[in-house]
Amino acid sequence: MLVNLTEYFDVQGKAHLSIPYESEKFFDGFEDREILDRTPIELDIVPVGDGKLEISGSLSITLKDKCSRCLDDVNVTVPASFTYTVVKPDGYHELSEEEQLFMDGYSLDADALVYNELLMSLPMKVLCRDDCKGLCPVCFINRNHGECGCDTFVPDPRMAAIMDIFNANKEV
Ligand SMILES: [Zn+2]
Ligand SMILES: [Zn+2]
């Protein structure tokens, strides 16, 4: 959502806005993820002099993810909060690229700003629960849902590779 900041540059005191985060999907850098739930973007807008506004905000979204151990579906809530300073485009001073980031004239692209913050808050690894038992390394059954009775002693795969080389050499 574009937020027109024109009036805030010229008033004194703090303003608060609650605006919707409008994106339907969240692109995590690899793929689009469904946004299952979201809070509004809560913005505090404070004039800090020199034609600048300090904008701080927060929101959270809930995404569908997969447990990195057992691959079950997991809902993960991603919170983000940020503080960002914007500069009034007065037409006299050339603004740097950074000062124009997320701004189009007097309008702040809140969705783009928030997307960037959410992306940095995205957890790298998600577990369905802290004690997730993961998949059986033999038959790949999800061990949270039942026991398969496999002999689950599996040597370290790196060790197994070394043993293969060792055995191959022995036969020569
Ligand atoms: Zn799991
Ligand atoms: Zn098994």
Side-chain angles (χ1 to χ4, degrees):
M1 183 173 178
L2 288 177
V3 185
N4 188 332
L5 296 174
T6 311
E7 60 178 297
Y8 302 105
F9 282 106
D10 299 317
V11 294
Q12 292 298 312
K14 180 166 144 176
H16 182 84
L17 283 180
S18 183
I19 59 171
Y21 179 53
E22 291 177 323
S23 302
E24 288 295 317
K25 304 267 183 192
F26 187 82
F27 182 69
D28 67 4
F30 298 101
E31 58 181 342
D32 278 328
R33 303 241 214 112
E34 200 181 332
I35 298 178
L36 302 172
D37 202 4
R38 69 192 70 211
T39 66
I41 309 171
E42 303 291 345
L43 289 180
D44 283 322
I45 304 172
V46 182
V48 289
D50 279 345
K52 291 180 181 174
L53 295 175
E54 189 182 88
I55 299 180
S56 49
S58 64
L59 86 157
S60 67
I61 61 170
T62 303
L63 295 174
K64 193 179 267 186
D65 209 329
K66 289 208 179 299
C67 172
S68 55
R69 248 182 235 165
C70 72
L71 309 179
D72 258 3
D73 285 341
V74 187
N75 293 349
V76 56
T77 298
V78 183
S81 58
F82 53 90
T83 301
Y84 188 69
T85 303
V86 300
V87 182
K88 185 179 186 172
D90 60 8
Y92 295 105
H93 303 94
E94 196 147 329
L95 300 181
S96 71
E97 226 167 86
E98 197 180 331
E99 286 168 337
Q100 294 176 79
L101 203 61
F102 308 123
M103 289 288 281
D104 180 11
Y106 280 90
S107 293
L108 173 72
D109 188 343
D111 277 6
L113 170 60
V114 155
Y115 168 75
N116 201 47
E117 296 295 333
L118 287 169
L119 194 61
M120 290 191 285
S121 306
L122 211 60
M124 298 297 286
K125 239 183 168 183
V126 176
L127 292 180
C128 61
R129 57 188 211 211
D130 285 343
D131 63 345
C132 170
K133 295 179 190 153
L135 301 176
C136 167
V138 178
C139 71
F140 300 110
I141 194 178
N142 184 336
R143 292 198 284 194
N144 299 313
H145 301 324
E147 288 298 326
C148 49
C150 290
D151 177 5
T152 55
F153 174 76
V154 176
D156 186 317
R158 286 163 301 178
M159 187 53 100
I162 292 166
M163 290 302 285
D164 284 346
I165 294 164
F166 182 76
N167 287 333
N169 286 342
K170 210 165 56 176
E171 280 159 26
V172 174

